[in-house]
Amino acid sequence: MADYAFRHYGIRTFRLMRPQVIVEHVTVSTTFASAFAEFSRDVPDYELHELPGLCAHFVIDTDGTIYQLVPLDLMCRHTVGLNYTAIGIEHVGLSDQAVLANRKQMAASVWLTLWLMTRFHIALADVIGHNESLMSPFHRELVARLRCQTHGDWTHGDMQRYRMELVSLARRYDLRPGPPPSPRPTGC
């Protein structure tokens, strides 16, 4: 991971020092076991053909069970341009809409995300979907061919619904998560 961080961000560490972003993902699989198997493989990833392989800090199963796969002080490779500063949360499922429709999974997800926001002082504007990665002010990527790369999971519209759930939970605890993100030009 330290080699990856140097190639992609110009920093020489594998440590996640002060996370500033939370990125929501969908596994595009139907079981925790298949997601875990993918993250456990010690092979170059299928897309960039380099190590380390894919990983996420957390996976939330369809029954709402939260699995922590990686300590929060280690970088994990889940979002191009943001791994140096982001915590990755994967949701077992085939689409954003499937996760949004699953009450147990959503309850666990918003609880975990709000806890992480509180623990690391991460604003609502910095809780993003994988598809929103390019709009993050923290996005940076040194590898030119990857600067505009993003993925289709957790679109802006679906994340607006997700963030509304976060705000609702925050209000129950008298927390003020701040405003949602504003779209910004990406140059892509």
Side-chain angles (χ1 to χ4, degrees), residues 120-187:
F120 294 106
H121 309 287
I122 296 172
L124 183 66
D126 297 314
V127 175
I128 62 172
H130 199 189
N131 183 251
E132 297 177 308
S133 63
L134 297 176
M135 68 183 257
S136 171
F138 295 101
H139 185 274
R140 70 177 187 200
E141 178 56 62
L142 296 177
V143 178
R145 70 182 174 87
L146 300 177
R147 283 197 190 118
C148 292
Q149 190 228 34
T150 191
H151 288 269
D153 55 321
W154 286 106
T155 64
H156 185 66
D158 289 338
M159 279 305 296
Q160 287 178 304
R161 288 178 54 201
Y162 184 92
R163 285 187 285 263
M164 285 177 24
E165 294 286 332
L166 270 175
V167 168
S168 177
L169 181 62
R171 285 184 182 143
R172 289 193 346 216
Y173 293 98
D174 201 28
L175 299 171
R176 292 170 178 51
S182 326
R184 67 180 193 95
T186 65

Side-chain angles (χ1 to χ4, degrees), residues 9-185:
Y9 309 118
I11 58 177
R12 293 190 182 272
T13 186
F14 60 92
R15 296 273 180 209
L16 184 58
M17 304 292 192
R18 290 182 315 119
Q20 298 170 297
V21 179
I22 299 169
V23 182
E24 309 290 345
H25 301 266
V26 175
T27 63
V28 193
S29 65
T30 57
T31 65
F32 169 75
S34 62
F36 185 78
E38 178 61 35
F39 294 139
S40 299
R41 295 169 3 116
D42 188 23
V43 296
D45 79 281
Y46 67 91
E47 189 173 26
L48 305 179
H49 312 290
E50 65 181 356
L51 289 172
L54 301 175
C55 74
H57 294 90
F58 297 93
V59 177
I60 304 174
D61 207 345
T62 56
D63 67 357
T65 302
I66 299 170
Y67 297 94
Q68 183 173 356
L69 304 183
V70 178
L72 292 172
D73 65 343
L74 297 179
M75 277 186 220
C76 217
R77 184 168 175 209
H78 55 89
T79 307
V80 169
L82 291 170
N83 295 312
Y84 77 99
T85 194
I87 296 169
I89 302 174
E90 289 278 353
H91 300 79
V92 174
L94 298 176
S95 69
D96 312 352
Q97 295 79 25
V99 175
L100 286 165
N102 182 324
R103 288 182 173 217
K104 288 181 180 181
Q105 193 173 30
M106 276 298 293
S109 181
V110 296
W111 178 89
L112 173 62
T113 299
L114 187 60
W115 176 77
L116 291 166
M117 289 170 68
T118 303
R119 178 171 177 191
F120 294 106
H121 309 287
I122 296 172
L124 183 66
D126 297 314
V127 175
I128 62 172
H130 199 189
N131 183 251
E132 297 177 308
S133 63
L134 297 176
M135 68 183 257
S136 171
F138 295 101
H139 185 274
R140 70 177 187 200
E141 178 56 62
L142 296 177
V143 178
R145 70 182 174 87
L146 300 177
R147 283 197 190 118
C148 292
Q149 190 228 34
T150 191
H151 288 269
D153 55 321
W154 286 106
T155 64
H156 185 66
D158 289 338
M159 279 305 296
Q160 287 178 304
R161 288 178 54 201
Y162 184 92
R163 285 187 285 263
M164 285 177 24
E165 294 286 332
L166 270 175
V167 168
S168 177
L169 181 62
R171 285 184 182 143
R172 289 193 346 216
Y173 293 98
D174 201 28
L175 299 171
R176 292 170 178 51
S182 326
R184 67 180 193 95

